[in-house]
Amino acid sequence: MLENLSGIGPKTKQALSHLGIYTLEDLIEYYPYRYELVKKSNLDEKEEDESVIIDGSVTNIPRVVFFKKHMERMTFRIQADDRFVDIVIFNRGYLKKNLTPGTEITVFGKWKPKKNQIVASQIRFGKLEKEYVECVYHLTSKITNQKMIQWIHEALQITKPRPSMIPKVIEEKYHFPSKEESILEIHQPTSTVMLKKARTRLKYEELFEFLYKMILLKEMRKKENGITRKIPIEKVKQLIAKLPFSLTEDQRDAVHDIIQDLESSSRMNRLIQGDVGSGKTVLAFIASYMNFLSGYQTAFMAPTEILAVQHYQKAKDLLEPYHMKVVLLTGKLKASEKKQIQQEISEGKADLIIGTHALISEKVNYHNLGLVITDEQHRFGVQQRRELKNKGLTPDILYMSATPIPRTYALTIYGDMEVSNIKTRPMGRKEIITMLFSEKQIRDVLEKMYEELKKGHQIYVIAPLIEENEESSAKAVDTMYENMKKAFGKYYQVDMLHGKQDGKKKEAIMQSFQENKIQILISTTVIEVGVDVANATMMVIFNAERFGLSQLHQLRGRVGRSNLQSYCLLVSDYDKERLQILTKVSDGFQISEEDFRLRGSGDFFGVRQSGDMNFKLADIYKDFSILKHAKEDAELFLKHKDYQNEEEKNNFTKFEKSIIHLD
Ligand code: ADP
Ligand code: MG
């Protein structure tokens, strides 16, 4: 129990829980994110504002003055070797009683040579006997690094880590240190070499455990009995022939994949990944038609209500001529409408049900749900599948993602799914011209916007935050709105969309934009996914540096949805080298590869539900070679189950049970 550690009471427990720490085991598996060498500084070598560490003894009684509302400023002097230095520290008045003259302390802070002063961030009692390496942990405001170090130190003495998830045979094969040794080393490193070994071992374990789970889930699903259908191919062909365009080759391949999955007796668990605008939605509709032809209902989950409405309108146009009943079920329906639609669903009158993720979490009674389609699947993971199962539903599942990732990574991140890639773009699409501007060049940006407006086209403007606050100079939607109104409001309609508006309001604004009653639409990233307005030909993104490349690529995919030439203007004063990539590369697969290279896989946690893939140390990109080994090993181990002892066997059996339970 955490309470067994010194100084941990209910408040601290609460603070620790915000870091995901609930037990002693969690605590010792809370790893430092970097290490710092703690070493006495030579002040003569240090410049203004550099970080310094010195030790000495207090020479006078500290003075505390109060200012502003709750601020305290404490000053005193120390003798450090042969010189005197003034120390200033804020809001640490409670230390005064312990800082009596003669007390030996170590001070961490910023050096102000002109004032012969250190603005301290930390004071520790005692001198710095010798240099050492200190772990630095991610913290919350209630917890200091010193406390964390102390608790982990204590915890390491009274608790053992959870059982190793690397089988003994594999541990021996790589000469890995044990889990216990590795955890000790990571918190109390003895040497660079040992630390590296420990980290590699722990990364391997995370990856092995994840891959083991993925492989097992996939195997189980293959054995699971799904719906066996016979798809009347001719009818499907007729629908496809009536589309206003012909399918691209990749789209046709995906249709084939879907037919095979639906006909096969095992449950479908397929991901279709392709750039925005690559034409995934139409595939979803075709799949729902196949499912309808075989007599089942389809639930189609969109990431936002706006998109649900858009999909609904399109689906109705396409599918109702084929006698499919399409309904929209969203949170803001009137109670009576909702009841009516719920009834149509439970009686099996509704064939395609479109809504947000509430479609599975709410109390919707399906008549015979055969297929679930999730657009922008990262809100749908193992957990959601389980929710369905708890309701007695085991439909086929089709995921769609507009954050395509290269095959190698997809194979691991989506290890439990089959993947279809849409790489070719629909014919006649012009590439989006992307340009990078600095804040100073705002006039040029406005001019470019004006050119598009004159042509009768519409523009999206992305501002990253809702309210401007002191700390961030990010352009708020509100400010942006005022500015754009000043610039264009005389001749063009400007409006804004943001997270704080209710669904009705948002929808009304989207509708007006769609009807070209609004020419400039300012928003946060609410519109990031899926919105489709063909006449919108320009996307302007302020503070572009705040976004990942893939995210920016997705945003710009909102334009270029017709044969009109479209533009994306990125405005930023930072990180230009990275942003420049977007002006040159237009393939989403390649862009995500760059994203991986530059930022590691951390930002891709969103791609999979974070609960499915939460690595503390491992990074899919940076640790790719470890990952490759872990994958082969996991496959092999699952085949041979080469347990070395009873304990290991029990441990893995327990793990497998928890996975089976998940599905
Ligand atoms: P995604 O969902 O992949 O972002 P959409 O399915 O919304 O893309 O497709 C974008 C637009 O392209 C839609 O208007 C759609 O009707 C159209 N489209 C889809 N496939 C093709 C195709 N093969 N040829 C031409 N246009 C297509
Ligand atoms: Mg889509």
Side-chain angles (χ1 to χ4, degrees):
M1 279 207 318
L2 288 174
E3 283 92 337
N4 294 348
L5 305 177
S6 51
I8 296 195
K11 277 219 180 95
T12 310
K13 251 189 101 166
Q14 177 77 16
L16 285 169
S17 75
H18 292 308
L19 299 172
I21 300 169
Y22 299 90
T23 65
L24 289 172
E25 287 87 357
D26 293 339
L27 186 63
I28 63 173
E29 289 187 28
Y30 194 75
Y31 304 135
Y33 72 97
R34 66 182 175 86
Y35 297 87
E36 206 171 82
L37 182 65
V38 177
K39 185 183 166 192
K40 224 192 289 195
S41 316
N42 180 353
L43 293 181
D44 294 328
E45 290 169 357
K46 297 288 178 178
E47 312 262 335
E48 178 85 19
D49 275 341
E50 263 194 90
S51 293
V52 293
I53 303 170
I54 61 163
D55 61 5
S57 52
V58 179
T59 63
N60 61 341
I61 294 172
R63 234 164 64 88
V64 179
V65 288
F66 292 89
F67 66 106
K68 279 192 184 162
K69 261 188 187 155
H70 303 291
M71 298 285 282
E72 299 166 347
R73 182 176 191 270
M74 180 162 67
T75 48
F76 59 96
R77 180 170 288 190
I78 64 169
Q79 180 172 7
D81 297 329
D82 51 356
R83 74 197 287 172
F84 290 91
V85 180
D86 287 323
I87 308 295
V88 178
I89 189 162
F90 294 96
N91 295 338
R92 232 59 71 81
Y94 57 86
L95 288 177
K96 181 179 170 177
K97 60 180 185 302
N98 298 321
L99 290 169
T100 49
T103 309
E104 294 190 323
I105 58 169
T106 303
V107 178
F108 297 69
K110 290 241 172 351
W111 177 225
K112 309 280 177 187
K114 281 182 220 122
K115 297 185 192 161
N116 186 40
Q117 182 191 70
I118 292 174
V119 178
S121 55
Q122 207 190 124
I123 289 173
R124 292 188 201 163
F125 290 92
K127 285 205 167 189
L128 190 60
E129 296 301 342
K130 59 174 196 247
E131 62 182 59
Y132 61 96
V133 172
E134 185 164 288
C135 299
V136 185
Y137 297 89
H138 283 296
L139 305 164
T140 70
S141 60
K142 302 261 159 54
I143 295 168
T144 65
N145 202 52
Q146 279 320 100
K147 279 270 156 57
M148 193 60 111
I149 290 171
Q150 182 203 325
W151 290 327
I152 289 175
H153 185 84
E154 285 178 32
L156 284 168
Q157 289 165 354
I158 56 172
T159 195
K160 277 195 185 304
R162 281 179 263 264
S164 164
M165 292 310 297
I166 307 180
K168 276 266 172 329
V169 270
I170 296 175
E171 224 173 66
E172 277 159 23
K173 172 171 147 193
Y174 295 110
H175 307 289
F176 278 144
S178 74
K179 183 165 190 172
E180 226 173 318
E181 286 171 309
S182 304
I183 287 183
L184 204 60
E185 180 69 25
I186 205 166
H187 293 297
Q188 296 166 1
T190 57
S191 75
T192 331
V193 178
M194 291 310 288
L195 178 61
K196 184 150 193 270
K197 276 191 183 169
R199 285 174 56 88
T200 304
R201 192 248 188 246
L202 294 169
K203 283 176 182 180
Y204 179 96
E205 182 168 353
E206 289 178 350
L207 292 166
F208 183 86
E209 189 173 341
F210 173 72
L211 291 162
Y212 192 93
K213 178 169 150 187
M214 287 300 122
I215 297 164
L216 195 68
L217 281 172
K218 192 167 188 168
E219 279 186 359
M220 275 163 32
R221 199 153 298 119
K222 280 197 174 137
K223 282 186 223 141
E224 217 173 29
N225 280 335
I227 303 163
T228 311
R229 304 172 175 80
K230 184 80 200 88
I231 308 290
I233 308 279
E234 279 313 310
K235 287 198 170 162
V236 178
K237 277 190 179 158
Q238 279 164 22
L239 174 84
I240 292 174
K242 284 273 159 54
L243 290 171
F245 44 76
S246 52
L247 294 182
T248 63
E249 199 173 315
D250 287 347
Q251 281 175 318
R252 278 202 301 271
D253 287 347
V255 169
H256 267 281
D257 292 341
I258 294 168
I259 292 176
Q260 274 188 349
D261 288 354
L262 290 178
E263 292 199 328
S264 128
S265 63
S266 47
R267 250 180 102 188
M268 160 159 146
N269 200 46
R270 178 170 297 276
L271 168 72
I272 298 182
Q273 54 165 4
D275 267 338
V276 258
S278 61
K280 297 181 298 294
T281 314
V282 71
L283 296 173
F285 294 158
I286 294 170
S288 71
Y289 182 57
M290 295 181 202
N291 185 48
F292 160 74
L293 290 174
S294 42
Y296 293 94
Q297 290 176 305
T298 303
F300 186 159
M301 300 189 293
T304 64
E305 295 214 339
I306 294 176
L307 275 163
V309 174
Q310 221 173 63
H311 286 328
Y312 170 66
Q313 280 154 355
K314 289 198 168 179
K316 252 171 66 148
D317 290 347
L318 178 68
L319 299 170
E320 290 204 334
Y322 296 85
H323 313 295
M324 259 178 91
K325 169 86 176 163
V326 184
V327 299
L328 178 68
L329 186 64
T330 60
K332 52 172 201 357
L333 288 178
K334 283 199 222 96
S336 59
E337 292 170 321
K338 204 170 188 171
K339 204 172 155 210
Q340 157 96 30
I341 289 171
Q342 300 261 25
Q343 193 171 343
E344 286 173 355
I345 297 170
S346 63
E347 287 172 0
K349 286 184 187 140
D351 301 308
L352 173 57
I353 302 102
I354 300 181
T356 60
H357 54 287
L359 283 190
I360 55 151
S361 50
E362 258 182 26
K363 289 189 193 70
V364 186
N365 277 317
Y366 293 93
H367 179 67
N368 57 354
L369 184 65
L371 175 65
V372 170
I373 302 173
T374 81
D375 195 5
E376 281 315 304
Q377 53 77 46
H378 37 252
R379 296 186 186 203
F380 197 86
V382 174
Q383 185 62 33
Q384 281 65 29
R385 266 197 313 261
R386 182 176 163 196
E387 268 174 45
L388 281 176
K389 189 152 194 175
N390 287 345
K391 291 170 143 195
L393 298 169
T394 51
D396 286 316
I397 301 177
L398 183 64
Y399 308 84
M400 296 192 295
S401 170
T403 318
I405 59 178
R407 182 141 216 113
T408 30
Y409 307 115
L411 281 178
T412 47
I413 295 181
Y414 302 123
D416 57 337
M417 308 178 191
E418 320 289 337
V419 180
S420 304
N421 292 324
I422 313 284
K423 290 198 161 179
T424 46
R425 306 197 116 229
M427 293 278 282
R429 287 293 159 77
K430 293 198 178 67
E431 216 143 89
I432 299 161
I433 297 175
T434 300
M435 289 177 275
L436 182 56
F437 295 90
S438 55
E439 300 266 354
K440 282 203 305 278
Q441 294 168 293
I442 185 73
R443 287 193 144 273
D444 298 336
V445 173
L446 293 175
E447 252 164 52
K448 293 260 180 242
M449 289 175 70
Y450 188 46
E451 277 170 35
E452 281 311 291
L453 291 167
K454 275 194 296 192
K455 288 186 217 157
H457 300 163
Q458 291 158 275
I459 302 178
Y460 296 105
V461 176
I462 303 287
L465 290 176
I466 293 181
E467 279 153 6
E468 196 138 352
N469 59 27
E470 285 178 355
E471 279 123 330
S472 118
S473 61
K475 301 281 171 295
V477 176
D478 288 340
T479 325
M480 187 65 69
Y481 175 69
E482 293 305 325
N483 292 345
M484 288 296 159
K485 250 189 129 135
K486 252 181 239 154
F488 300 110
K490 215 164 157 192
Y491 303 104
Y492 300 101
Q493 281 302 316
V494 182
D495 214 328
M496 58 177 167
L497 203 63
H498 57 71
K500 288 191 177 165
Q501 291 159 331
D502 65 29
K504 272 221 159 60
K505 172 97 187 172
K506 277 186 211 161
E507 203 185 305
I509 292 171
M510 263 330 288
Q511 191 64 29
S512 305
F513 190 65
Q514 203 130 35
E515 291 165 6
N516 199 0
K517 288 178 186 153
I518 295 169
Q519 284 75 47
I520 301 177
L521 181 63
I522 299 154
S523 88
T524 53
T525 54
V526 178
I527 53 149
E528 187 180 331
V529 268
V531 176
D532 195 3
V533 178
N535 190 49
T537 55
M538 184 174 277
M539 169 67 68
V540 186
I541 305 173
F542 285 88
N543 291 99
E545 76 281 353
R546 289 173 164 258
F547 300 97
L549 292 180
S550 296
Q551 212 180 354
L552 288 167
H553 178 62
Q554 242 194 39
L555 280 168
R556 79 172 161 188
R558 297 300 112 228
V559 297
R561 305 218 129 208
S562 63
N563 46 19
L564 300 170
Q565 178 60 57
S566 288
Y567 302 88
C568 174
L569 312 185
L570 304 173
V571 187
S572 175
D573 282 346
Y574 310 93
D575 220 359
K576 296 209 166 191
E577 206 173 313
R578 183 174 68 94
L579 296 173
Q580 211 78 49
I581 293 171
L582 287 166
T583 64
K584 295 173 202 135
V585 184
S586 62
D587 168 21
F589 287 89
Q590 205 180 326
I591 284 167
S592 72
E593 174 101 45
E594 291 287 335
D595 239 349
F596 269 109
R597 185 174 66 79
L598 292 168
R599 318 211 298 177
S601 66
D603 291 303
F604 281 81
F605 283 165
V607 168
R608 248 206 110 90
Q609 258 237 330
S610 49
D612 292 348
M613 195 176 102
N614 49 356
F615 304 139
K616 292 174 182 151
L617 295 172
D619 181 296
I620 300 270
Y621 184 85
K622 291 182 191 136
D623 302 312
F624 194 69
S625 69
I626 303 179
L627 180 138
K628 254 181 15 204
H629 287 296
K631 183 156 195 264
E632 283 165 23
D633 295 339
E635 273 161 6
L636 218 64
F637 189 74
L638 254 160
K639 223 178 266 161
H640 301 301
K641 301 268 170 89
D642 211 350
Y643 302 123
Q644 298 300 290
N645 56 42
E646 211 46 32
E647 194 189 329
E648 188 167 288
K649 185 176 171 184
N650 290 340
N651 184 31
F652 273 88
T653 314
K654 217 166 97 191
F655 179 49
E656 290 197 0
K657 272 205 187 118
S658 75
I659 296 172
I660 292 164
H661 181 66
L662 262 185
D663 200 51

